[in-house]
Amino acid sequence: MSKNNIIPKSKEYSTDGKVRHLSNDEDINVKLGKILGKKFIDYRKKWDDANNMKLITEFPLFLQLDMNQECNYKCPHCIIGHKKEVDEYYEGDYLSFNDFKKIVDEGSEYGCPSLSPQGNNEPFLIKDLHKYIEYAHHKGFIDIMLNNNGSALPIKRAQQILDSGLTRIRFSLDAIRPETYKKVRVGSIPLDRVIKNIEDFLNLKEKGGYKLPVVGVSFCKVKQNEDEVEEFINFWRNKVDTVSIQKFMPPTTNKQKYKKYYASDQYNEEPVKKFHCVQPYQRLTFRNEFMYPCCVSFNKDLKLGSIKTGTIYDAWNSKKMNEIREIHRTGEFYKDKTCNDCVNLIYPPEQEFLN
């Protein structure tokens, strides 16, 4: 790649070490601060303090809602592509619109700034998704974000999303070559149709003079696509606000099943000895009705309660949540089995995984 095609380091950032966000313009949060003003800037200062473990807020700064496990794709490196594992690791009722409103109402009461109504699913399979976003927007959430696969966004829905109050939208693609796309996005529509959907959305946004949502694309780097990362970046960098490159994270602890997806450069020579996960300082994650301290699928033993019988405030301030924060403040992640499994799956020890 030529020198002129390299994105400067100053235009790259990460909030968790797992995802690199690349911007061809300014830092996306600086851009959003200029659009949304002081309230957004103040929230991001708190976010940075939480990321540095200098601040434990009264209420989470971010609510991640894995509302259901419905998707029109069956990607092999995602848990949704493996029904038996979904049945094993997920439990409880899907989140209804009434459940969503209850969550948003409590978040609004405590001034929670950020929310995503999406997890391991395709959010545009939810009927009237824009009404969920509108509800959160009208309740004062200022940073509402959404990942999707780009397959279910016709012009009418695109217009609804542009008018909903959404702050960020990201299209998960994982490939730039059609033949690779078919392999890593099993059950997908053709890649050229997905690209057209994204371009139609961008054109509609430009013609309507919308400043938001900012638009990104993402690429989960696995063995099967690792040779096209730069090609992906170069194709999208001048079309969207951000390009995100993500480390592969096995959706379960079955490392023998999923190790074939690790990119060549993801292995560590030695096991990680100290690690600070910031998610318990940032967010509360819902998987269906149940609340958890982080986004991994295999953390059932860290369940903090159900929204049907408890509150977000109580879960966030619970003894279990504070214990998880403490082991990550000190870097002693290995004191919890789930956290130990997670770290060694994100940063796999070469000797253990390649033998």
Side-chain angles (χ1 to χ4, degrees):
M1 186 165 64
S2 71
K3 185 176 180 181
N4 290 335
N5 285 337
I6 297 175
I7 297 176
K9 278 286 184 182
S10 60
K11 304 295 176 64
E12 177 178 329
Y13 69 97
S14 175
T15 61
D16 59 9
K18 294 185 296 184
V19 185
R20 296 162 50 219
H21 302 287
L22 310 173
S23 172
N24 205 32
D25 189 8
E26 56 191 339
D27 183 302
I28 200 64
N29 290 306
V30 172
K31 182 174 183 175
L32 285 169
K34 291 177 180 178
I35 296 171
L36 295 169
K38 185 176 184 301
K39 191 173 181 180
F40 182 88
I41 294 169
D42 290 346
Y43 137 60
R44 293 307 301 186
K45 286 179 180 177
K46 287 183 179 180
W47 182 271
D48 289 342
D49 285 343
N51 263 358
N52 290 316
M53 300 182 179
K54 296 177 181 178
L55 174 67
I56 300 175
T57 53
E58 180 186 24
F59 196 87
L61 293 169
F62 176 48
L63 300 175
Q64 182 175 9
L65 278 57
D66 196 344
M67 297 178 61
N68 62 52
Q69 291 73 60
E70 302 293 335
C71 188
N72 53 338
Y73 287 10
K74 294 294 180 283
C75 304
H77 55 290
C78 173
I79 194 169
I80 303 304
H82 307 273
K83 186 178 185 306
K84 287 184 179 179
E85 291 179 340
V86 172
D87 293 341
E88 178 181 355
Y89 289 99
Y90 280 83
E91 58 185 339
D93 295 333
Y94 286 176
L95 291 175
S96 67
F97 188 45
N98 285 336
D99 295 327
F100 178 83
K101 289 193 290 185
K102 180 180 179 181
I103 292 166
V104 168
D105 288 350
E106 185 181 354
S108 178
E109 180 183 347
Y110 286 95
C112 181
S114 181
L115 173 145
S116 176
Q118 171 268 329
N120 286 321
N121 62 3
E122 171 47 49
F124 284 107
L125 298 185
I126 298 173
K127 184 181 178 181
D128 294 330
L129 176 66
H130 63 286
K131 293 182 180 179
Y132 290 70
I133 298 167
E134 287 171 356
Y135 188 84
H137 178 66
H138 291 310
K139 283 287 184 173
F141 282 79
I142 56 174
D143 195 5
I144 307 170
M145 57 195 76
L146 197 67
N147 291 338
N148 76 107
N149 63 31
S151 69
L153 191 60
I155 293 295
K156 180 180 178 181
R157 297 206 81 181
Q159 186 63 60
Q160 290 171 338
I161 290 301
L162 286 168
D163 292 330
S164 68
L166 188 68
T167 315
R168 316 183 197 221
I169 188 168
R170 188 161 63 185
F171 296 90
S172 301
L173 302 176
D174 300 346
I176 194 58
R177 302 172 193 163
E179 63 274 19
T180 306
Y181 189 73
K182 288 180 181 179
K183 293 177 182 177
V184 298
R185 309 293 278 178
V186 174
S188 65
I189 65 173
L191 178 59
D192 60 345
R193 285 176 54 193
V194 176
I195 291 175
K196 184 179 185 304
N197 285 346
I198 298 171
E199 291 176 340
D200 286 347
F201 183 85
L202 291 167
N203 290 335
L204 198 62
K205 179 187 172 188
E206 183 178 6
K207 288 178 181 178
Y210 294 91
K211 294 182 179 179
L212 296 174
V214 293
V215 180
V217 293
S218 69
F219 184 103
C220 180
K221 183 179 176 182
V222 293
K223 181 71 175 175
Q224 292 73 16
N225 66 13
E226 63 183 352
D227 64 335
E228 56 191 88
V229 173
E230 292 180 0
E231 189 178 344
F232 181 87
I233 293 171
N234 287 335
F235 180 86
W236 286 108
R237 58 176 295 179
N238 293 319
K239 299 177 185 290
V240 296
D241 298 293
T242 59
V243 177
S244 300
I245 309 298
Q246 178 180 339
K247 288 181 184 290
F248 169 62
M249 171 66 181
T252 75
T253 55
N254 187 344
K255 58 189 176 186
Q256 291 303 316
K257 179 176 181 176
Y258 289 102
K259 68 180 184 179
K260 62 185 175 183
Y261 298 108
Y262 282 117
S264 302
D265 60 358
Q266 192 168 346
Y267 292 102
N268 280 22
E269 288 187 11
E270 299 290 336
V272 174
K273 295 180 179 178
K274 198 169 187 178
F275 183 82
H276 306 272
C277 179
V278 297
Q279 288 199 14
Y281 287 78
Q282 302 168 336
R283 72 187 67 189
L284 200 72
T285 298
F286 285 82
R287 292 212 311 280
N288 298 335
E289 68 181 86
F290 293 108
M291 297 174 277
Y292 300 87
C294 63
C295 66
V296 299
S297 303
F298 50 83
N299 61 358
K300 285 174 71 173
D301 60 320
L302 298 181
K303 187 190 304 178
L304 301 169
S306 167
I307 194 61
K308 295 183 181 296
T309 57
T311 67
I312 299 169
Y313 179 91
D314 287 343
W316 181 251
N317 293 285
S318 65
K319 179 182 177 182
K320 183 179 290 188
M321 190 70 169
N322 284 321
E323 288 173 349
I324 292 296
R325 288 193 193 100
E326 181 59 19
I327 67 170
H328 286 290
R329 185 188 66 80
T330 61
E332 298 172 301
F333 65 91
Y334 46 81
K335 288 186 174 181
D336 181 87
K337 183 182 183 305
T338 297
C339 297
N340 186 63
D341 287 341
C342 179
V343 171
N344 285 292
L345 286 169
I346 302 172
Y347 304 100
E350 188 172 38
Q351 184 175 1
E352 179 181 346
F353 277 75
L354 294 182
N355 288 346

